[in-house]
Every structure is written in structure tokens, then in C-alpha cells.
Amino acid sequence: MRSVRKISCCAVMLGLLAGLAHGAGDPTRGSRVFGQCAACHSVAPGEHMTGPSLAKVWNQKAASAGGFSRYSEALKRADVVWSEATLDAWLVKPEKLLPGTSMTFPGIKEARDRQDVIAYLKAVSEGKAPQAQQGGRGMAGMRREKLDLRKAPAEGQVTSITQCGDTYTVATADGKAQKIWEFNLRFKTDSSKLGPLPGKPVAVGAGMQGDRASVVFASPKEISEFIKPSCP
């Protein structure tokens, strides 16, 4: 009985691998589907976001991207190498492949979409990737691609932040000031080469045009130093 089960499992795995090989993905289309992943992952070498850079993920051992320190214990303990088969299973539902993972991703349901993303990631690792799809315009493009905050337009360059009660007043280099309820304002840091210069925080997200906004600083200590209590 054990031999039959062993042969059966091997047959299933061989069938899976054969199916994957037969259905080679389209990396150009995969670069578009990858938009579902771009909010958390970059394909630029060494550029880590919520998740690690996927620039060299192909045939890489899980939880081994240099410079990334936020891997879950489940992923660090896993004996997984990223290949067509393992990436496909991961993209179906990460939690199912590795229970306990911290990656909150519902999965890519369509097999073709998964194979196209896998083909794109393989091409990225081999230096043959097509041009990635670009994000939206202006500061809102942060949702799809990481912008160089050192080149923020005047409306995103924060010149001062004052606080009175539950209200923050954020002034920007274009001469405007926006009053924001404390619950709708987020303070973030970005120490990467694309982050703001020291002492030059940048407003992102709502772009000072709605009732919500985020202000990004170069380091945590700048936050309390930059914000000044001031009530009329």
C-alpha cells in the first residue's frame, strides 16, 4: 500500500510539473498581472517594501533575500526553493502552502495568470524582463510604484507641521496649508535611497487634496522634532 501511495504521489507531482512546462507563461502579460503584487514587492535589486525584492527570486531559497528582515518564522523554517511548481502553489494561496506565513494575499485564481507572473519573475531574475507597467500619475502613483521622494513636486514638499488638539496643519512648498484630523494623518519613514532627504518630509497618498494624507520622514527621530504644538 505504501508503494502504491508513493507512486501515486510521484505521478501527481510529475503531472503537475509537466503541465507547468507545457503551459509556459507570457512574461509581458505577466508584468501586467504583477500589478497585483506591486503594492508590496519591487523587482528592483535590493529594494525591499512590505515584502522583499523579487529581483532574484528564481531558484532562490525562501527567506533568503539579502537585507530583508521581516520574514515570518514559518517561511524561515521552510525548506522551499522558488521554482515553477513552488511559486505556482504559493500564488494559489500562501497560507495553504506554508501555514503561519505573514503574507496576507488572497491568491491569483486563474492558472494562466499565475504562469504569466512566474514567467515574468523568471525573466526578471535572468535580466530579460519586459518593461514593467507604470503606476498612476503624481504622488498617488506610490500605490503601484515607488517614486523618488527626493523629487517630489512643491505640493508634496512639507515645510511645516503644527498640532492643536486633534488637528494637524500641514503646510507645503506651494504655499498651501491643509488642516487634517489626527486620525486621518499617518507619519511614516523611508530610509531607502528613494526616501526623502533629512529634514525634508514629503506628503504622499492623498497628496493634500483630500481628507487623508501620509507624511514620510527620513528617520523616526525627525517626526517629533518636526511637529510643533501651536494653537491660535
Side-chain angles (χ1 to χ4, degrees), residues 198-217:
K200 302 289 184 180
V202 174
V204 298
M208 307 303 295
Q209 296 177 15
D211 65 342
R212 300 174 187 272
S214 296
V215 177
V216 185
F217 293 82

Side-chain angles (χ1 to χ4, degrees), residues 51-84:
S53 166
L54 301 181
K56 297 293 182 182
V57 71
W58 191 254
N59 283 334
Q60 182 183 65
K61 188 180 185 302
S64 65
F68 185 78
S69 59
R70 294 182 293 279
Y71 286 115
S72 65
E73 291 301 316
L75 198 59
K76 288 193 287 188
R77 291 194 301 266
D79 185 19
V80 172
V81 173
W82 297 123
S83 62
E84 288 188 41

Side-chain angles (χ1 to χ4, degrees), residues 112-205:
R112 180 192 174 189
D113 290 344
R114 294 196 302 274
Q115 288 309 299
D116 289 345
V117 169
I118 291 168
Y120 173 61
L121 291 175
K122 182 178 181 182
V124 167
S125 294
E126 296 174 345
K128 303 175 182 177
Q131 180 66 39
Q133 297 300 302
Q134 299 300 309
R137 294 181 179 181
M139 300 306 290
M142 284 286 292
R143 297 179 183 176
R144 296 298 298 273
E145 64 174 11
K146 194 173 182 183
L147 300 181
D148 186 347
L149 297 185
R150 302 184 181 196
K151 299 178 180 178
E155 60 266 28
Q157 300 171 21
V158 178
T159 55
S160 69
I161 301 176
T162 56
Q163 175 265 328
C164 182
D166 65 353
T167 302
Y168 287 91
T169 300
V170 181
T172 47
D174 60 351
K176 297 181 180 179
Q178 178 80 16
K179 293 184 181 297
I180 305 174
W181 177 38
E182 61 182 357
F183 197 75
N184 285 348
L185 183 62
R186 294 181 178 182
F187 298 115
K188 304 179 180 181
T189 59
D190 185 351
S191 59
S192 75
K193 63 183 179 180
L194 295 178
L197 292 168
K200 302 289 184 180
V202 174
V204 298

Side-chain angles (χ1 to χ4, degrees), residues 75 82 85-110 114:
L75 198 59
W82 297 123
T86 53
L87 281 170
D88 185 69
W90 179 258
L91 291 173
V92 169
K93 190 173 184 179
E95 177 67 25
K96 184 175 181 180
L97 178 66
L98 288 175
T101 178
S102 58
M103 181 170 169
T104 54
F105 181 62
I108 298 176
K109 305 308 177 187
E110 296 295 328
R114 294 196 302 274

